Amino acid sequence: MAAVLAPTLVSTLWPAPSGSSRAARNVLLALVGTLALTVSAKTQIPFWPVPMTMQTFVVLVIGMACGTRLGVATIALYLIEGALGLPVFAGTPEKGVGLAYMMGPTGGYLLGFVAAAWLCGWLAERGFDRSPLRTLAAMSLGHALIFVFGVTWLAQLIGFEKAFATGVVPFWAATIAKTLLGVVTLPLAWKWIGRLK
């Protein structure tokens, strides 16, 4: 017996029509998502011990707000834009563009975005974005998955110890902050929707 999936934030705010209108809606949402990802990658926020971007927060929120299919499609479209040479990633075009950039030190994190969006979307479709505690679990697992992909990739280039020291340790405080922001944002969004009905 198939599980009954909970509606996502996006499907609640903008129910999917049928036919070509549904496709147009999804394309528009995916394009808006890639724009949000690009802005979040380019925006540096002063933080300790290193400046942070909001990109992983946006990745996880896209997954949770859109669900598995649209969430993964949005992240995939973002990666395709980057592979085609558009300067959508952090540090582009200064650090290169296209596939050459994606095969560099941050390549694993980019792959982790897809996996994390799927996981968070899967959890949201089971109601994990409705309460602070369950949102904390989903956001924590999503961030952890991004780090697993990122460090595994980076370790192939510089070894595990150095990969962990440079690819995880400087970002722990920012990751906690972004996780807690998600814990506040998503359940509040559902409360706001409840008041509108």
Side-chain angles (χ1 to χ4, degrees):
M1 186 170 155
V4 177
L5 301 182
T8 62
L9 272 169
V10 166
S11 66
T12 301
L13 289 170
W14 188 2
S18 59
S20 59
S21 297
R22 181 190 189 97
R25 163 197 178 266
N26 290 345
V27 169
L28 178 60
L29 287 169
L31 288 171
V32 170
T34 64
L35 178 61
L37 284 163
T38 302
V39 171
S40 69
K42 301 289 187 180
T43 305
Q44 293 261 328
I45 300 171
F47 206 77
W48 178 89
V50 294
M52 73 171 177
T53 71
M54 294 301 292
Q55 192 165 32
T56 59
F57 172 81
V58 173
V59 166
L60 301 186
V61 167
I62 284 173
M64 295 187 83
C66 296
T68 51
R69 290 184 181 179
L70 183 55
V72 168
T74 300
I75 306 301
L77 178 59
Y78 174 68
L79 297 182
I80 290 168
E81 291 172 352
L84 292 174
L86 297 177
V88 295
F89 302 135
T92 58
E94 300 82 10
K95 296 180 180 178
V97 292
L99 289 174
Y101 176 94
M102 296 176 75
M103 296 302 292
T106 60
Y109 296 96
L110 297 175
L111 290 175
F113 289 174
V114 179
W118 180 88
L119 175 62
C120 285
W122 188 88
L123 291 171
E125 289 167 352
R126 285 147 183 85
F128 271 71
D129 56 346
R130 309 299 176 96
S131 72
L133 189 59
R134 297 181 90 189
T135 303
L136 174 63
M139 294 286 290
S140 298
L141 288 170
H143 272 122
L145 196 54
I146 292 170
F147 279 123
V148 167
F149 273 79
V151 171
T152 300
W153 178 288
L154 193 56
Q156 305 308 308
L157 303 176
I158 61 174
F160 178 77
E161 287 186 15
K162 194 170 181 183
F164 190 84
T166 59
V168 176
V169 173
F171 306 105
W172 68 267
T175 299
I176 290 172
K178 287 183 276 188
T179 298
L180 293 177
L181 181 61
V183 168
V184 172
T185 304
L186 291 162
L188 274 180
W190 278 109
K191 283 188 179 180
W192 176 75
I193 289 172
R195 288 174 184 170
L196 289 179
K197 289 184 174 181

